[in-house]
Amino acid sequence: MTQDTRNVNGDSTGTAYDVVVVGGGAAGLSAGLVLGRSRRRVLVVDAGEPRNAPAAHMQGYLSRDGMPPAEFLAEGRRELAAYDVEVAEDRVTAVLPDGAGEFEVTLAGGRSVHARRIVVATGLVDELPDLPGVAERWGRDVLHCPYCHGWEVRDQPFGVIASEVTGIHQALLVTQWSKDVTLFLHTVRELSDEDWEQLAAAGVTVVEGEVAGLEIEDDRLIGVRLAGGQVFPRSALFVDAKPLPRHGLLNELGAAMQDTPVGPYPAVDPTGRTSVPGVWAVGNATGPKVQVIHAAAAGYQAGAMINYELVMADINSRTAMEL
C-alpha cells in the first residue's frame, strides 16, 4: 500500500502516502479507518501520549461504555490493520510543504515520507493545579468532567476547586450527580451576588481559604486540606485543568487560529479543514471539550472529505493531461 518516491537522480527520497495522520488517538485512528476503507495509502504516526491515559475507563461512547482507553486504542489499531493502514510508533518532527501542494514529513526516528494530505490529531495536555496529590490522583478520584466520571462517583461527597476561568459553573453542574457538594474558593477572592444566590439555591457549601493539598488513605481520597490545616472529608474532587494544545506543527505550517475562552485553537470548517491547503485538524487539537465520541466522528468526517478531494484532484489531473 506504499510506494517509493525518487528524485530526478533516481535516489530514494522516502515512502509516499496519500495521507499521513499525526496522532493515533480516537480522531486519528478514525480518520485512518475511513481512508483505509477508501483504499488510500495511509500512515498513522502515534507518539503514545493519549489525553485520557490516566483514566481506568472511558464512558459515554455507545457500545464501548466503560472500556479501558488502552484497550479501545488497541482495538482501533487491529481494525486499521485489516485495511493495510500502517501505524508507526514514532513522533512527527516536521511537516514541510513541497511547493506542489503536497508535503514532506520527517519522523523523530529518522524516517522521511511524502504525503498528499495531512491530518493533525495531536490532541492536548491537561495542566493540573499545582497542589500536592492532584497529579497522583488524576483520572481516579480527582476529576474534571462529570459526564466522563460523574456516574462512577455519584452520591459521594464532592469537592470542587473554584477556577478563575469557569467560576462556579462546575460546582453547579455536579449537583446533578451528588447533593453533597462543597466549593473551595481557593484563590478566587470574589463572587457576584448572583453566584452566591445560585450556589445557595443549588445547596452548595462554600469554603473560603486556599487549598493546601489532599488527604489520602488506603490509596483513596478522603479529604481536602486547607492551608490553615482544616480538613473537609471528600471522596471525589473536581478541578479545572488548563488545556495545553499540541499545536507546534500547525503553527509551523501557518494555520490560522481563532480565540477561545481557553486560548487559541485552529480555525477549521465542519470537516476539520484548516486554512492551510491540504491540512486537516481533528479531535482535541481543535478544542478541549471534544470527547472520545466527538473525536472519532471528527476523524470520520475528515477522512471522507480528504478522500473526496483526492478523487477529484486525480480526475482533474487526468482531464488536464487529455486536453
Side-chain angles (χ1 to χ4, degrees):
M1 296 294 288
T2 61
Q3 63 185 38
D4 290 333
T5 56
R6 297 182 179 274
N7 60 25
V8 294
N9 297 317
D11 301 322
S12 176
T13 60
T15 305
Y17 295 90
D18 289 313
V19 184
V20 169
V21 180
V22 188
L29 292 178
S30 182
L33 179 63
V34 172
L35 289 162
R37 287 177 52 81
S38 301
R39 309 182 74 179
R40 293 295 174 186
R41 302 184 303 276
V42 183
L43 172 65
V44 177
V45 183
D46 184 24
E49 299 171 342
R51 181 188 186 188
N52 62 355
H57 306 92
M58 63 179 208
Q59 276 77 32
Y61 195 121
L62 189 63
S63 82
R64 294 295 182 266
D65 188 59
M67 191 176 195
E71 184 179 329
F72 176 78
L73 296 178
E75 179 60 29
R77 288 189 176 198
R78 285 193 289 271
E79 291 179 358
L80 265 63
Y83 304 102
D84 293 327
V85 174
E86 183 182 346
V87 178
E89 295 182 358
D90 208 329
R91 186 184 304 274
V92 171
T93 57
V95 176
L96 300 176
D98 68 353
E102 299 183 358
F103 306 89
E104 298 298 331
V105 182
T106 303
L107 279 59
R111 187 177 176 191
S112 179
V113 302
H114 185 85
R116 300 178 68 188
R117 299 293 183 270
I118 299 292
V119 177
V120 177
T122 46
L124 58 80
V125 176
D126 290 301
E127 183 178 73
L128 305 177
D130 186 18
L131 291 171
V134 167
E136 292 79 3
R137 307 303 302 176
W138 181 242
R140 302 166 69 185
D141 37 33
V142 174
L143 314 164
H144 78 295
C145 173
Y147 295 103
C148 303
H149 305 286
W151 175 265
E152 283 66 38
V153 294
R154 64 193 183 279
D155 297 327
Q156 296 181 31
F158 286 3
V160 179
I161 296 182
S163 163
E164 298 288 354
V165 177
T166 59
I168 68 168
H169 168 77
Q170 196 169 42
L172 299 176
L173 178 61
V174 300
T175 59
Q176 177 61 25
W177 286 267
S178 174
K179 299 308 177 186
D180 183 357
V181 177
T182 296
L183 174 64
F184 298 93
L185 292 186
H186 191 39
T187 57
V188 174
R189 303 305 181 190
E190 295 183 6
L191 297 179
S192 68
D193 290 342
E194 182 181 10
D195 288 340
W196 285 109
E197 291 170 1
Q198 290 181 336
L199 290 166
V204 176
T205 300
V206 180
V207 173
E208 297 185 66
E210 291 193 23
V211 174
L214 309 183
E215 293 290 314
I216 309 298
E217 185 177 287
D218 296 330
D219 197 30
R220 62 186 181 89
L221 174 69
I222 63 169
V224 175
R225 185 179 69 259
L226 298 188
Q230 188 176 4
V231 175
F232 292 81
R234 299 287 93 185
S235 298
L237 179 65
F238 286 85
V239 302
D240 186 24
K242 179 182 179 181
L244 300 177
R246 300 185 179 104
H247 284 165
L249 292 177
L250 290 171
N251 290 332
E252 290 172 9
L253 287 165
M257 296 286 167
Q258 58 185 355
D259 290 331
T260 76
V262 291
Y265 279 83
V268 296
D269 75 1
T271 71
R273 189 196 309 266
T274 72
S275 64
V276 182
V279 178
W280 272 253
V282 292
N284 278 137
T286 64
K289 295 185 178 180
V290 175
Q291 306 292 344
V292 178
I293 195 166
H294 304 128
Y300 190 107
Q301 289 180 301
M305 180 54 68
I306 290 170
N307 178 63
Y308 174 74
E309 185 175 283
L310 290 175
V311 167
M312 296 308 299
D314 290 341
I315 290 173
N316 292 337
S317 178
R318 289 195 293 269
T319 301
M321 292 176 63
E322 293 171 359
L323 293 179

